[in-house]
Amino acid sequence: MTAMTAMTASGRRLWNERIETMPREQLRELQRDRVVRQVAYNYAGSLHYREKMDAAGIRPEDIRSLDDYTHVPLMDKDEHRRVQERSLAEFGSPTALLACAPPERIVRISATSGTTGMPTLYTVTAHDVGVVNEMHAREY
C-alpha cells in the first residue's frame, strides 16, 4: 500500500482533510493569521520575548503579513540557555522568562537532550499537546 492509498482506521485517506486539501491562498491566510496571533501571544506572555521585540523596535501590531514576520528576531540555543540562567537567577525558575502561558496552564516541561550544552527547556500547555498531536497525525 502506498502513502497515497493508505487509509486511516476510519477509512479516511487523510487525517484532516479540510486542512490538508486547503487551497494554497487560503492556507497562506491561515498561516498569516496564526503567525500574527502567535507573535502577539508571545509578546503579551513572555518578558523575554517582549524585551527582545522591544529592543528590535517591533510591536505585535507591526506583524500583519508573513513578510513582516521576517523582522521578528530569532533566538538560538546559546541565547536560550543564557535566558534560562537569567530566569533561574532572577525568578528561581529556568522557564519564568520564556514561558508565554501562565504557570497554572503549563502541563509539561520538555527539554532537549543537551548533547552540546545545557538542555534547553520548553513549557507545554494542554493546547500545545493537542497541536503537536494534530501535527504528528497529519505527518504520518
Side-chain angles (χ1 to χ4, degrees), residues 101-107 124-126:
E104 64 272 10
R105 288 192 46 229
I106 295 170
V107 298
V124 181
T125 65

Side-chain angles (χ1 to χ4, degrees), residues 45-113:
S46 165
L47 179 58
H48 175 70
Y49 291 124
R50 186 169 41 256
E51 289 174 348
K52 191 168 177 74
M53 289 179 65
D54 286 348
I58 296 172
R59 307 270 306 164
E61 55 269 16
D62 297 333
I63 309 303
R64 295 182 301 273
S65 71
L66 292 174
D67 288 335
D68 292 340
Y69 183 64
T70 64
H71 302 293
V72 175
L74 300 176
M75 177 172 46
D76 63 19
K77 279 195 169 189
D78 288 334
E79 179 183 354
H80 193 129
R81 289 180 181 110
R82 287 191 306 274
V83 175
Q84 282 181 178
E85 290 173 2
R86 175 183 161 212
S87 184
L88 187 58
E90 292 180 19
F91 299 97
S93 165
T95 61
L97 285 169
L98 290 165
C100 297
E104 64 272 10
R105 288 192 46 229
I106 295 170
V107 298
R108 178 184 310 154
I109 297 177
S110 296
T112 63
S113 63

